[in-house]
Amino acid sequence: MPSKDPILVTGAGGGVGGVGGTVVEELRLRGVPVRALVHHDDERATALRALGGVEVVVGDLTRGADVAAALDGCRRAYYGMSPSPDYLEATATVAAAALADGRLELLVHMSQMTVSQMTLTSTAESHQQRLHWLSEHVLNWSGLPVVHVRPTVFMENPLFGVLAVASVRRDDTVRLPFGTARTSPVAAGDVAAVVTRLLLDPAPRTGRVHELTGAASRDMTAIAAEISEALGRTVTYVDVPYDEWVERDLKPLGLSPHLVDHIATMARLHRENRYDRATDDVTDLLGRPPAGFDTLLRAAPD
């Protein structure tokens, strides 16, 4: 990969855990030139410019002209986007622009592990999860050199990074409607490190799927024990009735209907044990074990 060619990073100004922005930082630490595509020219864009060696461009992933301009001169790219009803349109636009450009040798795509359990006719998933399933198909059909990255669920997802952290701080409880089901959240920092590792691979193995999880799958009682150890005080898990949790905990966050549907569905699928997954992909790619919940607690704002 010629060092003079910038790597395109989309979603660099937002998203759960700031994966895109962290990828930009990781690439710059290695001296790699970066073109960062952001949706809004705000304080996050200003922070990216301050890194040096980052060309910040403002654009919309559903607009062909914006994507084509962002891709121009790039041979490698990371495509990630926050949950949105426009996700599939953005994916198709990215694919069309990359095909028209004709020079892309690697596209790392942020998906999610739920896709591996879905079919054309399954209906239990959220609209966002369905868009991810369709997007993987669109990118595969395109024939582009794609690598899919499928995190199980981010620690920084509002389920944990907002709601669980808030209840821990309020009364030393983790209030979630997961029952006795098991889960394996992965830190956004680990996902960003994997994306960076893939983008810098001198001989990328395209067509692969990397499924990323935390170190182990365990129930929320065990996770509460991990949080207790990290904080040095007792934190207990409270299994909240699902409907009560949606009304009293989730909806007051004031999220968009699309995002409320997505997070509520994730909570329901957790209760149905759909997130009981564990892989070694993070360790194999990074040469170290995945981060634990102590990372989330240190990073959470006061």
Side-chain angles (χ1 to χ4, degrees), residues 79 108 203 209 283:
Y79 167 48
V108 179
V209 174
T283 299

Side-chain angles (χ1 to χ4, degrees), residues 7 104 136 254 288:
I7 293 179
L104 204 64
E136 283 203 17
R288 60 167 175 79

Side-chain angles (χ1 to χ4, degrees), residues 53 61 196-197:
L61 286 168
T196 303
R197 165 74 173 78

Side-chain angles (χ1 to χ4, degrees), residues 188-207:
D190 284 346
V191 177
V194 165
V195 170
T196 303
R197 165 74 173 78
L198 296 172
L199 287 170
L200 297 178
D201 192 331
R205 290 173 288 177
T206 60

